[in-house]
Amino acid sequence: MKTKIIKVIGFVIVLIILLLITSHIFVPKSNTEEAGMHDYEANGILAEKERTIDLLILGDSEAFTSIIPMQLWNDYGFTSYVCCSTAQTIPESMIFLIKALQKQQPKMIILEASNIYTASERDEHIVQVLNYMFPVVEYHDRWKYLKSNDWFGEINYDVVNDLKGYHFTKDVKEALPNNKMAPTEETQPIPIANKIYIKLLKKYCEMNDIKFSIIRTPTTFSWDYKSYNGVKQFADAEKIEYLDLNLMNDQLKIDWKQDSKDGGDHLNHYGAVKNTKFIGEFVKNKNLLTDHRKEEKYSGWNKSYEEYKRLVK
Amino acid sequence: MTYCDLIFLGIFLPVTILLYNVIPQKHRAKVLLIASYVFFWSISGKLIVFLLATTVLMYIFGICNKKLIDKRKNELKNVEKNNKKIIKERYLRKTRLILVFNVVILLGMIVVLKYSTFIGNNINYLFNVIGYPVNIGIAHFAVPIGISFYTLQAISYMMDVYKEKIEPDKNIGRLALFISFFPQIMEGPICRYNDTAIQLWKGDKTSYKSLTFGMQRIGFGLMKKMIIADRLDILVSGIFSNYNDYNGGIIAIGMILYTLQLYMDFSGVMDIVIGIAEIFNVKMPENFKQPFFSKSISEFWTRWHITLGTWFRDYIYYPVCMSKKSKKMTTNLRKKFGKYYGPLIVSSVALFCVWICNGIWHGSAWNYIFFGMYHFTLILMGRFVEPISKKFYKKIKIREESVGLLLFRIVRTTILVFFGELFFRAEGLLAGFKMFAKIFSNFTLDSLFNGEILKIGLNWQDFVIVAIFTVIFLVISIRKEQGNKVREKIAERNIVFRWTCYFAIIFAVIVFGAYGEGYVPVDPMYAQF
């Protein structure tokens, strides 16, 4: 019996060692799309200098199209990064946060509320943990494209994303008016797993002395007053600050005729500028973040801003 | 939750194995029963009520039957020999009535849930065609996963009790576990009460051997399903959904690859299922036995989905063949058509019943019925020409066991199977015929050379990996066909060799499995039937 237990333990140890070795082979050696990095814009956070990001944004596509870190830099000198990916689930947000905190020590984290109602795939929770612990699971399909550098090369994440995770587009598609934000008593229930994850996110932030807020960016599509009620109730119960910008359009002044790229689901650059301006003021009033514009350490941000300006011109 | 999900393999199964082994033997079966209901709830939710109803029905049937048997025995004790036959027949009528009543309820459930839309649509269509337009309201029901499988198990239990092959079970827990055991509930194998009920309830502890052998089998199944079947899904779906856009060559490739996909998916899941059962020291019947080495369609169906074939044989084919009317007809026809063709004509009726049921069992669509009739025709033709072909081979002096003839028959059977699967997978019977026609009217292999085949979701690396693993499985199948027990052979080797094999399986699945970004999860294919 003892020998069999030793065999089982030995087998597991060898398995873990092999998983780590193969993970090193399969993980992209650079943080670029060409190198095979998934969500390379969001993973651009890995190329940022240590302890330089003060504000981190988590969420899905609604967040990466509506918050412009370079505008926050230019207007307030805040360093921020949009760690958001298409259809990002809350468990994914959690993993992005853990990855980001390995090098960064942000003072504030904003969770964009869109993915709070996204039910995770049945395996999502385990998959995310495995992807994080053993990247061979996430990048296994790279067997098709492995090069000699993958077998013996060093991992080097140094390609800076000048837009800091923001996805820029000037496409315009008018959104038709609707009555989704008309007040109601009804409440949209949040999936239990997501509630647990948000509580974990909050706890994780508290442990790391980070301010945690939830913000819903403007949309006319996948959001209504019932959704607002659901998040509001949960946020109040958990003492999390929650801001729904769909109820504040008198201040934001989003023009749905020209500020959306796809008929109301996502903002375009024009809408994102207005949205970022509002979020900038909101963050500024917290007095948590500092203006780094004149600091030498952040000179790269000025270069990125030039690149951003050239792009959005 | 399905058998290939991480949540199943990584949490549900290990927790069940752990709980099963830490508690005393007398409670182990209860762990399996609870786990089975949790699993069924996770895949079918409230529809679990149909599974429970089936279990209760089986139990009540058994109790009623037992009472009648006991009563009959008592009565027989006190009567003269001449009256015994009358009493036996009286009781036989009663038990038959109860059997029919219960089977009708079971079949009624499946007909209403699974076939009412199909039946309603066809009635509406028929009346429209004959000029009396009607519009029967068609209700759409949610169908419990596995209903086609567990209903057959329930019927086999009732039939076996009726025929007094088995004693009615007074233990409703054992019956419940027999019918709901979580590894088999989605896709079978369709077990008989004698196969698994006693083993399941016994609760033998997991041994080192059962654990390692079970896990090897699971790994083997995962390789088949995740590396080949799931990888091919995008290409097969692309071709069958948009067959109008492709030439006959691509459709032929789609047909062949679908057959490969279905085999790897279904037999892979069976390996997983049987492997899981093995961990709990339960030996389940095999469902596949190297089907692509079959020399005839008849033989193919003794090697493919074996438990379904034997079910139809035992509960449809034999009862029809052995009925009084059939026997009488056989005697008459034997005089007219001889010893071979006389009984063959009668058995054809039974065969027809089997294959119409087989087709309908697979799904509520005409292409499934056609699939059944296609195999019925091929098997019947095979039986009718068998004496002629034997004479022919003898005349041209070809030995039946010669390698060349064996290979020819294997290839011929495989091609016939491909065409059957084309209709099986086609999105409707009409689509099946159109695809079939295109293979002959618009056949070209240009797409293999001009790169068109690489634009349907798979690149050349995918084809290479499918080819490599198909060859690996072919070699293993040849070894098994030769009578080699591959797992036993591996177990006899030293630890370095064994572990190398195990790690090779694990990393083959991790690296070459079709999962994660860029892939859509594919549920076990037979779970839909």
Side-chain angles (χ1 to χ4, degrees), chain A residues 30-146:
Chain A
S30 170
N31 62 313
T32 60
E33 191 179 16
E34 297 73 39
M37 176 69 89
H38 295 162
D39 301 319
Y40 69 96
E41 293 102 331
N43 275 314
I45 184 83
L46 304 172
E48 293 297 325
K49 280 185 190 165
E50 261 187 63
R51 298 186 177 198
T52 54
I53 302 294
D54 287 343
L55 171 65
L56 199 68
I57 295 115
L58 302 169
D60 60 19
S61 56
E62 310 238 349
F64 69 53
T65 51
S66 61
I67 301 167
I68 311 169
M70 277 301 130
Q71 188 182 328
L72 292 174
W73 168 256
N74 187 54
D75 293 350
Y76 307 97
F78 301 153
T79 51
S80 59
Y81 205 98
V82 183
C83 249
C84 302
S85 51
T86 305
Q88 187 177 102
T89 57
I90 301 267
E92 259 182 298
S93 303
M94 185 83 194
I95 295 294
F96 266 114
L97 177 63
I98 293 169
K99 280 201 283 188
L101 291 195
Q102 284 174 355
K103 267 175 84 180
Q104 305 298 337
Q105 215 171 37
K107 297 187 177 80
M108 186 173 182
I109 283 169
I110 293 174
L111 174 69
E112 206 288 332
S114 171
N115 65 356
I116 288 180
Y117 287 105
T118 308
S120 303
E121 288 285 322
R122 51 200 182 201
D123 280 5
E124 181 78 26
H125 318 289
I126 310 172
V127 169
Q128 289 305 328
V129 173
L130 282 177
N131 284 349
Y132 177 67
M133 287 171 67
F134 306 112
V136 63
V137 177
E138 181 177 358
Y139 290 105
H140 70 97
D141 219 31
R142 289 193 66 238
W143 64 267
K144 295 172 183 173
Y145 315 105
L146 286 183

Side-chain angles (χ1 to χ4, degrees), chain B residues 377-440:
Chain B
T377 311
L378 290 177
I379 292 170
L380 197 64
M381 277 167 58
R383 287 187 186 180
F384 269 97
V385 299
E386 199 182 326
I388 302 164
S389 57
K390 274 189 177 171
K391 274 183 194 169
F392 175 73
Y393 293 138
K394 214 173 176 182
K395 205 167 186 181
I396 60 168
K397 290 180 182 164
I398 292 180
R399 283 185 306 114
E400 282 206 51
E401 57 280 9
S402 67
V403 179
L405 184 60
L406 282 180
L407 274 176
F408 165 74
R409 294 174 73 185
I410 289 172
V411 171
R412 179 200 60 189
T413 305
T414 308
I415 292 171
L416 291 172
V417 169
F418 286 155
F419 282 110
E421 298 302 347
L422 172 81
F423 284 95
F424 189 74
R425 173 63 177 81
E427 294 175 359
L429 186 56
L430 188 65
F433 277 115
K434 282 182 181 173
M435 292 176 82
F436 180 78
K438 244 184 162 183
I439 289 176
F440 296 100

Side-chain angles (χ1 to χ4, degrees), chain B residues 298-310:
Chain B
S298 234
E299 188 189 349
F300 178 81
W301 282 98
T302 61
R303 291 167 172 262
W304 173 286
H305 207 172
I306 297 167
T307 55
L308 181 71
T310 51

Side-chain angles (χ1 to χ4, degrees), chain B residues 317-497:
Chain B
Y317 186 81
Y318 286 159
V320 174
C321 278
M322 299 300 171
S323 67
K324 278 180 188 168
K325 274 186 185 171
S326 297
K327 279 181 180 169
K328 206 176 163 186
M329 218 194 301
T330 306
T331 318
N332 293 335
L333 290 170
R334 194 176 275 147
K335 285 173 197 164
K336 276 189 183 174
F337 298 101
K339 265 197 276 184
Y340 184 79
Y341 286 106
L344 186 59
I345 293 168
V346 178
S347 69
S348 305
V349 178
L351 200 63
F352 176 81
C353 296
V354 164
W355 284 102
I356 195 89
C357 290
N358 187 306
I360 292 169
W361 180 87
H362 277 97
S364 52
W366 282 106
N367 57 318
Y368 295 122
I369 295 171
F370 179 84
F371 172 80
M373 289 300 94
Y374 171 80
H375 286 99
F376 163 69
T377 311
L378 290 177
I379 292 170
L380 197 64
M381 277 167 58
R383 287 187 186 180
F384 269 97
V385 299
E386 199 182 326
I388 302 164
S389 57
K390 274 189 177 171
K391 274 183 194 169
F392 175 73
Y393 293 138
K394 214 173 176 182
K395 205 167 186 181
I396 60 168
K397 290 180 182 164
I398 292 180
R399 283 185 306 114
E400 282 206 51
E401 57 280 9
S402 67
V403 179
L405 184 60
L406 282 180
L407 274 176
F408 165 74
R409 294 174 73 185
I410 289 172
V411 171
R412 179 200 60 189
T413 305
T414 308
I415 292 171
L416 291 172
V417 169
F418 286 155
F419 282 110
E421 298 302 347
L422 172 81
F423 284 95
F424 189 74
R425 173 63 177 81
E427 294 175 359
L429 186 56
L430 188 65
F433 277 115
K434 282 182 181 173
M435 292 176 82
F436 180 78
K438 244 184 162 183
I439 289 176
F440 296 100
S441 64
N442 186 19
F443 188 83
T444 166
L445 290 175
D446 287 354
S447 45
L448 289 181
F449 308 106
N450 63 16
E452 197 186 345
I453 193 73
L454 300 176
K455 292 174 187 161
I456 322 174
L458 299 191
N459 53 26
W460 68 266
Q461 292 99 327
D462 290 310
F463 281 105
V464 168
I465 216 70
V466 167
I468 289 172
F469 278 92
T470 303
V471 169
I472 290 172
F473 289 121
L474 180 69
V475 171
I476 293 170
S477 294
I478 292 170
R479 303 282 293 166
K480 281 168 90 176
E481 189 66 8
Q482 289 167 339
N484 290 304
K485 291 182 174 172
V486 179
R487 285 191 300 165
E488 278 77 359
K489 292 247 168 176
I490 293 173
E492 285 165 11
R493 304 292 289 269
N494 64 45
I495 193 166
V496 177
F497 183 86

